[in-house]
Amino acid sequence: ALVLFSLSLTPVGETGPVYFAVTFLLGIGFITAAARFLVQRSNARARTVLLSSYLYLLTTLTMMFIDKA
């Protein structure tokens, strides 16, 4: 839901195409990390999901400011 909501900001005109592309690629990485955690639950995988979420949120918010439509 987080990735879909983030991507929905571009079609409504709040952000530009660069934001969409970066958020899309980061979203794939975040979903991949979460899926790997679901398959193999471990502290290392959980840490990877946590760090992926930090990277996703920080970069997404930064891109909102940089690529405002």
Side-chain angles (χ1 to χ4, degrees), residues 23-43:
T23 302
F24 181 77
L25 294 174
L26 286 172
I28 290 172
F30 181 59
I31 291 171
T32 301
R36 286 182 178 170
F37 176 70
L38 286 175
V39 170
Q40 180 186 8
R41 292 178 186 247
S42 68
N43 287 340

Side-chain angles (χ1 to χ4, degrees), residues 1-63:
L2 174 67
V3 176
L4 292 176
F5 179 77
S6 297
L7 292 174
S8 71
L9 294 175
T10 300
V12 296
E14 293 296 321
T15 56
V18 175
Y19 166 85
F20 185 85
V22 171
T23 302
F24 181 77
L25 294 174
L26 286 172
I28 290 172
F30 181 59
I31 291 171
T32 301
R36 286 182 178 170
F37 176 70
L38 286 175
V39 170
Q40 180 186 8
R41 292 178 186 247
S42 68
N43 287 340
R45 297 275 186 188
R47 191 174 303 111
T48 301
V49 173
L50 179 65
L51 294 175
S52 296
S53 71
Y54 289 161
L55 176 66
Y56 178 84
L57 292 171
L58 177 65
T59 307
T60 300
L61 290 173
T62 302
M63 289 306 300

